Amino acid sequence: MDLSKMVVEIASEMAAETDRGHVADYIPALARVSPDQFGIAVVTADGTVHAAGDAETPFSIQSVSKVFALTLALDRIGEALWHRVGREPSGSAFNSIVQLESERGIPRNPFINAGAIVVSDALLAGHDARETIGDLLRFVRFLAEDDGVEIDSEVAHSEAGTGFRNFALANYMKAFGNLGNAVEDACKVYFHQCALTMSCCQLAKAGRYLMTEGIHPGSGTPVITPERARRISALMLTCGHYDGSGEFAFRVGIPGKSGVGGGILAIVPGKASIAVWSPGLNERGNSKLGSLALERLAERTGWSVFTA
Amino acid sequence: MDLSKMVVEIASEMAAETDRGHVADYIPALARVSPDQFGIAVVTADGTVHAAGDAETPFSIQSVSKVFALTLALDRIGEALWHRVGREPSGSAFNSIVQLESERGIPRNPFINAGAIVVSDALLAGHDARETIGDLLRFVRFLAEDDGVEIDSEVAHSEAGTGFRNFALANYMKAFGNLGNAVEDACKVYFHQCALTMSCCQLAKAGRYLMTEGIHPGSGTPVITPERARRISALMLTCGHYDGSGEFAFRVGIPGKSGVGGGILAIVPGKASIAVWSPGLNERGNSKLGSLALERLAERTGWSVFTA
Amino acid sequence: MDLSKMVVEIASEMAAETDRGHVADYIPALARVSPDQFGIAVVTADGTVHAAGDAETPFSIQSVSKVFALTLALDRIGEALWHRVGREPSGSAFNSIVQLESERGIPRNPFINAGAIVVSDALLAGHDARETIGDLLRFVRFLAEDDGVEIDSEVAHSEAGTGFRNFALANYMKAFGNLGNAVEDACKVYFHQCALTMSCCQLAKAGRYLMTEGIHPGSGTPVITPERARRISALMLTCGHYDGSGEFAFRVGIPGKSGVGGGILAIVPGKASIAVWSPGLNERGNSKLGSLALERLAERTGWSVFTA
Amino acid sequence: MDLSKMVVEIASEMAAETDRGHVADYIPALARVSPDQFGIAVVTADGTVHAAGDAETPFSIQSVSKVFALTLALDRIGEALWHRVGREPSGSAFNSIVQLESERGIPRNPFINAGAIVVSDALLAGHDARETIGDLLRFVRFLAEDDGVEIDSEVAHSEAGTGFRNFALANYMKAFGNLGNAVEDACKVYFHQCALTMSCCQLAKAGRYLMTEGIHPGSGTPVITPERARRISALMLTCGHYDGSGEFAFRVGIPGKSGVGGGILAIVPGKASIAVWSPGLNERGNSKLGSLALERLAERTGWSVFTA
């Protein structure tokens, strides 16, 4: 299996695709990204990086950041987090508020917006928003072993300016007592987290601890227990693509987390940490070419959690 | 790893549990089953069977049968099935009708009741109900290599007598044009399929083809393609425990399908086909001790699709 | 106020309308009715009939019949009916099943399909379906003082053949224990009731008891108590036009009950019983020209329950 | 009919009731009001006031204020308001957010919280919040011909401090573009409007224009057109008691608008403007004794919009 050749071929196939989906346009900084771009980076267990296309171009990782925020929040407040957010697929769109009404302010899982806002609120515990954002940035830089990871403050401010649905979710959960801090602070952390800017290479490196049962390959120290690493992967598989999660599990067969910036982080336990990026989204809000590229990569490598 | 010892220990731990859940009571034949029972059978890749507890006692497999019906329907009508049923977790209870209204008669996945009725309808194509039920029984006997597998006609008739919600689902989908046969015929097949009676040993043997990428270990012939085997496993992981699917994936980490009779079939790709049974259910309608036993088995063996 | 002139003018205005809505097409007998027709009949307190247009043409009164069935059911089983059906607007479409799930099989009101099926079931108490249908027909003939009122058996059988959503509703309520008789019997009564065929003149005469506090003008005997007459009118105002009820109350300001055959019965307490008919429906399933004609009539006569 | 005697009797009956419902407790200023209180005031067409019980005690009128805000907003921006808010009963609780998701930010009617926030936003047009609040206060004082009507700033600030669900509704509608002003401003107007403090006598006087087809009895000038007066009454009947509106129309039969402070304003067109108040609420959030008192008054006077 020549992975380097494979990723180059896939990047070249993706370059030829004409139906590239629609770029998220709710904030200017995302809307002006060209849909022509595609990047892929695969880091294998031995640390080799196989990359092709626009794999070094930084993009807004948006909801992919929910994986890192969840990891840090579990470290910070432990299993108590699960009293405030569930572990079930929602069956609804990423920004749906309907489920919160019948389930009294407890979001279905940490990867829909409402759940991620609860995670942001949990991260705040005892810290102020600025400090918390700094902690998260340092954590992601540590994971990626790369101080070039940034938070795009234009994106963060745009999110804050147009994020009325997110403010609605936060206020709604606050009404049910499921937000310990001020709505503004939880949202501030959330908006900055979503504004993390990384390249495919950085993102694939940051995701390695999920491939290695929680160990940070650079330092050999545990980021998280093996059990939590497996459980985060389970959540990625069942909930990582909003109401397209089942379809992704069915077609691609590996845990993944997508973002509206067009990025997807995918994990093959013991084998690979993969990042793909292409800004055009499908009708579920997941990267159209990113999903297709991962489907082809899984097919050609035989990577699947459902195979021996 | 001494699997035989493990299953004996787990059976013994389960025997000591006092909080055993509630036995399904909507039909007499299920209601009178004693909650004191627990069985476990593990068939490994080499064909060895490790069993303990009431592993030879036949029970009503109920919704576990949806795995076999789906396999046969895919063989019969192919990928066209997916135009009529989705592949997403529903986010709702197993018998919910709400989602069908907004999604115009297309059930979310083949493992909720509505989806399984569509699968039954697909199985009927060109056959009558009696013949179809016979085909399905023969198929499961072939999978288990055991002609002792039966359909309990008392259970089948009780389901028909009290299955008003299922008749409602079937009529509702018929209204949207998503049922080709008469409501009575589709429901008849569905009720008989749910009345399949198997022991843990039989069920674990029947599930082997999902462990072996679709190959029937007895005959060495393919039951289904490797891709379909993986995809059925993916559906089991994301949708196999109704609105407790995420929780099962999170805690146990292997694909499984449960039934209200208290059985669960679970698959460790390449390694094991496992059946557990204990009649008491948890609040999501999944076997309480069955889930716990699988969690312990996964923990002790290290089996998880989210580990290398 | 020259009512006769008014109704002639309104009929003439309606004849000139080009945007006439869409004729219900779910059964052939309704689909082939020409949308060009319009009829109006107003019976005043003194018994005078003012009619114009196709006021003598029989049409399928469909859901307008729910008013008469409710009246008869209240007579038959009294206030106990209200344990099985609510009195609130549903906020949903006429055939929605969603609300039944969260409210455990109790329909919101007797004028949505689910509620009317419960009323049919209540009418059956101690009788068989054929007998019950006969009773209802005799009751409506008595109200209209006209033995020419018929049940169109082609329509009744077509409803039975395509009424899968109604069978779904009935089975669903049966599952919750809110149907005392067999689903087939309750639906049979319901389908025949909907197949009542009346002209505007007959319908306006049949509705007089609601204008006269429950007294049958022909015989001077009470059909129902004054309190019940007022309460049925209240239900017509809040629930008589499905999810267009608020709009009708807002625009027209008098109690009315519509049917998908294009008929509407409207009551001005103490003053008039009005029937209009035009087969084309608006987007809420209510007669487009019928609603408009009633709005104009109310405007020109000053009739409104919200005025002195 | 001796109205003065009737209201005294009813007040005395209400004093004897032991099951008085539960006082709203979401803000301290409401929670500390004693449930023992009951007031009633009836202003008839000739201007006579019949009052009994605690009819002079000021209370927080809360959602009853939605009637006055709607009246003023219609005056200010006219029928354009109806592009932003519907006229249908919601079928849901007063603070439900579910309907807004499927109907893209357009609230069902102006009497649920979401709708009232849109009305507040409409009132703001071209003014600042403080000015708008002043205008509304002056308008209600003019209607009641009483400068003693006040806004309780403690209540207004408490609402702002705990009104997370209302902030959620406002942000949610803002996300759909259905709020022209800042969320904070629309909510500020809304919270102050809800904090209007009036006695039954003041409230019944303020409501007179709805009894008199829009004319202000004090000055003889029109507050609103007769058509709008009727239409506001229609909205009160179909939507004035949240998801208890149908029940109120069924039992009492006159248009009414309730508030969680325990007040209800009810209108008998041409005959009476009625205010009742008792702080204990029923399970729908409407005054328990207030509803009962109105039911008795309607019964004894024969007042009903459904009678001649």
Side-chain angles (χ1 to χ4, degrees):
Chain A
M1 183 163 78
D2 184 341
L3 259 178
S4 289
K5 202 177 143 197
M6 260 184 211
V7 302
V8 168
E9 276 169 9
I10 287 172
S12 143
E13 290 163 24
M14 294 304 115
E17 287 286 333
T18 52
D19 183 1
R20 308 181 74 87
H22 294 283
V23 175
D25 57 4
Y26 69 100
I27 58 173
L30 292 183
R32 65 173 177 255
V33 176
S34 159
D36 294 343
Q37 300 172 90
F38 172 84
I40 181 167
V42 180
V43 184
T44 48
D46 62 4
T48 320
V49 180
H50 309 269
D54 305 304
E56 301 282 3
T57 309
F59 61 90
S60 189
I61 71 165
Q62 294 288 323
S63 292
V64 181
S65 66
K66 291 171 183 169
V67 174
F68 306 127
L70 172 62
T71 302
L72 191 59
L74 282 170
D75 191 55
R76 200 161 265 189
I77 72 161
E79 300 299 309
L81 179 66
W82 302 117
H83 296 124
R84 298 176 52 194
V85 59
R87 286 153 339 185
E88 288 300 325
S90 74
S92 310
F94 66 98
N95 55 8
S96 175
I97 204 163
V98 168
Q99 170 264 331
L100 285 182
E101 181 158 317
S102 57
E103 297 178 12
R104 305 194 57 74
I106 307 295
R108 274 290 173 96
N109 66 65
F111 291 160
I112 51 174
N113 290 12
I117 293 168
V118 166
V119 170
S120 294
D121 184 66
L123 280 177
L124 273 162
H127 308 259
D128 73 10
R130 184 188 212 98
E131 197 181 346
T132 302
I133 295 163
D135 289 349
L136 187 64
L137 179 58
R138 270 185 299 278
F139 178 62
V140 177
R141 285 175 173 173
F142 161 73
L143 292 177
E145 294 182 284
D146 191 330
D147 284 353
V149 175
E150 297 288 356
I151 285 173
D152 183 327
S153 61
E154 184 201 339
V155 171
H157 290 120
S158 292
E159 306 263 13
T162 64
F164 298 111
R165 277 183 89 135
N166 289 317
F167 281 118
L169 292 167
N171 273 290
Y172 205 65
M173 294 187 293
K174 182 90 178 164
F176 282 110
N178 197 16
L179 220 62
N181 299 279
V183 163
E184 289 67 28
D185 287 336
C187 286
K188 186 174 181 183
V189 172
Y190 178 66
F191 292 142
H192 278 80
Q193 156 196 323
C194 287
L196 273 163
T197 294
M198 301 174 80
S199 69
C200 285
C201 289
Q202 289 170 327
L203 184 56
K205 285 190 74 182
R208 292 170 302 170
Y209 71 104
L210 291 170
M211 153 179 72
T212 55
E213 302 231 298
I215 302 298
H216 182 244
S219 61
T221 56
V223 175
I224 203 163
T225 67
E227 184 184 59
R228 279 194 186 148
R230 288 196 302 271
R231 289 180 163 189
I232 292 173
S233 294
L235 284 167
M236 291 168 77
L237 195 78
T238 56
C239 316
H241 284 72
Y242 311 116
D243 51 345
S245 298
E247 190 69 18
F248 189 85
F250 185 88
R251 287 188 172 281
V252 182
I254 55 178
K257 180 73 204 83
S258 77
V260 293
I264 305 176
L265 172 66
I267 301 298
V268 190
K271 302 210 177 84
S273 170
I274 309 163
V276 292
W277 169 60
S278 182
L281 307 179
N282 64 21
E283 66 287 351
R284 302 291 186 192
N286 301 307
S287 174
K288 193 178 177 76
L289 296 191
S291 304
L292 181 60
L294 285 170
E295 190 177 347
R296 296 211 178 148
L297 183 67
E299 220 171 84
R300 294 175 197 178
T301 54
W303 286 342
S304 163
V305 300
F306 303 110
T307 198
Chain B
M1 183 164 79
D2 185 340
L3 259 177
S4 290
K5 202 178 144 197
M6 261 185 211
V7 301
V8 169
E9 277 169 7
I10 287 172
S12 145
E13 289 163 22
M14 295 303 117
E17 287 285 333
T18 51
D19 183 0
R20 307 182 74 87
H22 295 282
V23 174
D25 57 4
Y26 69 99
I27 59 172
L30 292 183
R32 64 172 177 256
V33 176
S34 160
D36 294 343
Q37 300 173 90
F38 173 84
I40 181 167
V42 180
V43 184
T44 48
D46 64 4
T48 320
V49 180
H50 308 270
D54 305 303
E56 300 283 2
T57 308
F59 61 90
S60 190
I61 71 166
Q62 294 289 322
S63 293
V64 181
S65 67
K66 291 170 184 171
V67 173
F68 306 127
L70 172 62
T71 302
L72 191 59
L74 282 171
D75 190 55
R76 201 159 264 187
I77 70 161
E79 300 298 309
L81 180 66
W82 302 118
H83 297 125
R84 298 176 52 194
V85 59
R87 293 171 309 204
E88 287 300 325
S90 74
S92 311
F94 66 97
N95 56 7
S96 174
I97 205 163
V98 168
Q99 170 265 333
L100 285 182
E101 181 157 317
S102 57
E103 297 179 11
R104 304 194 58 73
I106 307 295
R108 274 288 172 98
N109 66 65
F111 291 160
I112 51 173
N113 290 12
I117 293 169
V118 165
V119 170
S120 294
D121 184 67
L123 280 176
L124 274 163
H127 308 259
D128 72 11
R130 184 188 212 97
E131 200 179 343
T132 303
I133 294 163
D135 289 351
L136 187 64
L137 179 58
R138 270 185 298 279
F139 178 62
V140 177
R141 284 176 172 173
F142 160 74
L143 291 178
E145 294 182 286
D146 191 329
D147 285 353
V149 175
E150 298 288 356
I151 284 173
D152 183 329
S153 61
E154 185 201 338
V155 171
H157 290 120
S158 291
E159 306 263 13
T162 63
F164 297 112
R165 277 184 90 135
N166 289 316
F167 281 119
L169 292 167
N171 273 290
Y172 204 66
M173 293 188 292
K174 183 88 179 168
F176 282 109
N178 197 16
L179 219 63
N181 300 279
V183 163
E184 289 67 28
D185 288 337
C187 286
K188 187 175 180 179
V189 171
Y190 177 66
F191 293 142
H192 279 80
Q193 157 196 322
C194 288
L196 273 163
T197 295
M198 301 174 80
S199 68
C200 286
C201 289
Q202 289 171 327
L203 184 56
K205 286 190 73 181
R208 291 169 301 168
Y209 71 103
L210 291 169
M211 153 180 70
T212 56
E213 300 232 300
I215 302 297
H216 182 243
S219 62
T221 56
V223 176
I224 203 165
T225 65
E227 185 184 58
R228 281 195 184 147
R230 288 196 301 270
R231 289 181 163 189
I232 291 173
S233 294
L235 284 166
M236 290 168 75
L237 195 79
T238 55
C239 316
H241 284 73
Y242 311 115
D243 49 346
S245 299
E247 190 68 17
F248 188 86
F250 185 88
R251 287 187 172 282
V252 183
I254 56 179
K257 180 73 203 83
S258 77
V260 291
I264 304 176
L265 172 66
I267 301 299
V268 190
K271 301 212 178 84
S273 169
I274 309 163
V276 291
W277 169 60
S278 183
L281 308 178
N282 64 21
E283 66 287 352
R284 301 292 187 192
N286 302 307
S287 175
K288 192 176 178 78
L289 296 191
S291 304
L292 181 61
L294 286 169
E295 190 177 347
R296 297 213 178 148
L297 184 67
E299 220 171 82
R300 296 175 196 179
T301 55
W303 287 342
S304 162
V305 301
F306 302 111
T307 198
Chain C
M1 182 165 76
D2 184 340
L3 259 178
S4 290
K5 202 176 144 200
M6 260 184 211
V7 300
V8 169
E9 276 170 7
I10 286 172
S12 145
E13 290 163 22
M14 295 303 116
E17 286 285 333
T18 51
D19 184 0
R20 306 182 74 86
H22 294 282
V23 174
D25 57 4
Y26 69 99
I27 58 172
L30 292 183
R32 65 173 176 255
V33 176
S34 160
D36 295 344
Q37 301 172 89
F38 173 84
I40 182 167
V42 180
V43 184
T44 48
D46 64 3
T48 320
V49 180
H50 308 271
D54 305 303
E56 300 283 2
T57 308
F59 61 90
S60 190
I61 71 165
Q62 294 288 323
S63 293
V64 182
S65 66
K66 291 171 183 170
V67 173
F68 306 128
L70 172 63
T71 303
L72 192 58
L74 283 171
D75 190 55
R76 201 160 265 189
I77 70 160
E79 300 299 309
L81 180 66
W82 302 119
H83 296 124
R84 298 176 52 193
V85 60
R87 281 138 5 168
E88 287 301 324
S90 74
S92 311
F94 66 98
N95 56 7
S96 174
I97 205 164
V98 168
Q99 169 265 331
L100 285 182
E101 182 158 316
S102 56
E103 297 179 12
R104 304 194 58 73
I106 306 295
R108 274 290 172 95
N109 67 65
F111 292 159
I112 52 174
N113 289 12
I117 292 169
V118 166
V119 170
S120 294
D121 184 67
L123 280 176
L124 273 163
H127 308 260
D128 72 10
R130 185 187 211 100
E131 199 181 344
T132 303
I133 294 163
D135 288 351
L136 186 64
L137 179 57
R138 270 185 298 279
F139 179 62
V140 177
R141 284 175 173 174
F142 161 74
L143 291 178
E145 294 182 284
D146 191 330
D147 284 352
V149 174
E150 295 289 355
I151 284 173
D152 183 328
S153 61
E154 185 200 339
V155 171
H157 290 119
S158 291
E159 306 263 14
T162 63
F164 297 111
R165 277 183 90 134
N166 288 317
F167 281 119
L169 292 168
N171 272 291
Y172 205 66
M173 293 189 292
K174 183 88 179 167
F176 282 109
N178 197 16
L179 220 62
N181 300 279
V183 163
E184 289 67 29
D185 288 337
C187 286
K188 187 174 180 180
V189 171
Y190 177 66
F191 292 142
H192 279 79
Q193 157 196 323
C194 287
L196 273 164
T197 296
M198 301 174 79
S199 68
C200 286
C201 289
Q202 289 170 328
L203 184 56
K205 286 190 71 182
R208 292 169 302 170
Y209 71 104
L210 291 170
M211 151 179 73
T212 56
E213 301 231 298
I215 302 298
H216 182 244
S219 61
T221 56
V223 174
I224 203 164
T225 64
E227 184 184 58
R228 281 195 184 147
R230 287 196 302 271
R231 289 180 162 190
I232 291 173
S233 294
L235 284 166
M236 291 169 76
L237 195 79
T238 55
C239 316
H241 284 73
Y242 311 115
D243 49 346
S245 299
E247 190 69 18
F248 188 86
F250 185 88
R251 287 188 170 283
V252 183
I254 56 179
K257 180 73 203 80
S258 77
V260 291
I264 305 176
L265 172 65
I267 301 298
V268 190
K271 301 209 178 86
S273 169
I274 309 164
V276 290
W277 169 60
S278 182
L281 307 178
N282 63 21
E283 67 286 352
R284 302 290 188 193
N286 301 308
S287 176
K288 193 177 177 78
L289 296 190
S291 304
L292 181 62
L294 285 169
E295 190 177 347
R296 296 212 178 148
L297 184 67
E299 219 171 84
R300 295 175 196 178
T301 55
W303 287 342
S304 162
V305 301
F306 303 111
T307 197
Chain D
M1 183 164 76
D2 184 340
L3 260 178
S4 290
K5 201 176 144 200
M6 261 185 213
V7 302
V8 169
E9 276 170 8
I10 286 172
S12 142
E13 290 163 22
M14 293 305 117
E17 286 286 332
T18 51
D19 184 1
R20 308 180 74 87
H22 294 283
V23 174
D25 57 5
Y26 69 99
I27 58 173
L30 291 183
R32 65 173 176 254
V33 176
S34 159
D36 294 343
Q37 300 173 92
F38 172 84
I40 181 167
V42 180
V43 184
T44 48
D46 63 3
T48 320
V49 180
H50 307 270
D54 305 303
E56 301 282 4
T57 309
F59 60 90
S60 189
I61 70 165
Q62 295 288 323
S63 291
V64 181
S65 67
K66 291 171 183 171
V67 173
F68 306 128
L70 172 63
T71 303
L72 191 59
L74 282 171
D75 191 54
R76 201 160 265 190
I77 72 162
E79 300 298 309
L81 179 67
W82 303 117
H83 296 124
R84 298 177 53 194
V85 59
R87 293 170 310 203
E88 288 300 327
S90 74
S92 310
F94 65 97
N95 56 6
S96 174
I97 204 163
V98 168
Q99 170 265 333
L100 285 182
E101 180 157 318
S102 57
E103 297 178 11
R104 304 194 57 73
I106 307 294
R108 275 288 172 96
N109 66 65
F111 292 160
I112 51 174
N113 289 13
I117 293 168
V118 166
V119 169
S120 294
D121 184 66
L123 280 176
L124 274 162
H127 309 259
D128 73 11
R130 183 187 211 98
E131 199 180 346
T132 303
I133 294 164
D135 288 351
L136 187 63
L137 178 58
R138 271 185 298 279
F139 178 61
V140 177
R141 286 176 172 173
F142 161 73
L143 291 178
E145 295 182 285
D146 191 330
D147 284 352
V149 175
E150 296 288 356
I151 285 173
D152 182 329
S153 61
E154 184 201 339
V155 170
H157 290 119
S158 292
E159 306 264 12
T162 65
F164 298 112
R165 278 184 90 134
N166 289 317
F167 280 119
L169 292 167
N171 273 290
Y172 205 66
M173 294 188 292
K174 183 87 178 167
F176 282 109
N178 197 16
L179 220 62
N181 299 280
V183 163
E184 288 66 28
D185 287 337
C187 287
K188 185 174 181 182
V189 171
Y190 177 65
F191 293 142
H192 278 80
Q193 157 196 321
C194 287
L196 273 162
T197 295
M198 301 173 79
S199 69
C200 285
C201 288
Q202 290 171 327
L203 184 56
K205 285 189 74 182
R208 291 170 301 169
Y209 71 104
L210 291 170
M211 153 180 73
T212 55
E213 301 231 298
I215 302 297
H216 182 244
S219 62
T221 57
V223 175
I224 203 165
T225 66
E227 185 184 58
R228 281 196 184 145
R230 288 196 301 272
R231 289 180 163 189
I232 291 173
S233 294
L235 283 166
M236 290 168 76
L237 195 78
T238 56
C239 315
H241 284 73
Y242 311 117
D243 51 345
S245 299
E247 191 68 18
F248 189 85
F250 184 89
R251 287 189 171 281
V252 182
I254 55 178
K257 180 72 203 84
S258 77
V260 292
I264 304 176
L265 172 66
I267 302 298
V268 190
K271 302 210 177 84
S273 170
I274 309 164
V276 291
W277 169 59
S278 182
L281 307 178
N282 65 21
E283 66 286 353
R284 302 293 187 192
N286 301 307
S287 174
K288 193 177 177 77
L289 296 191
S291 304
L292 182 61
L294 285 170
E295 191 177 347
R296 298 215 176 143
L297 183 67
E299 221 172 83
R300 295 176 195 176
T301 54
W303 286 343
S304 162
V305 301
F306 303 111
T307 198

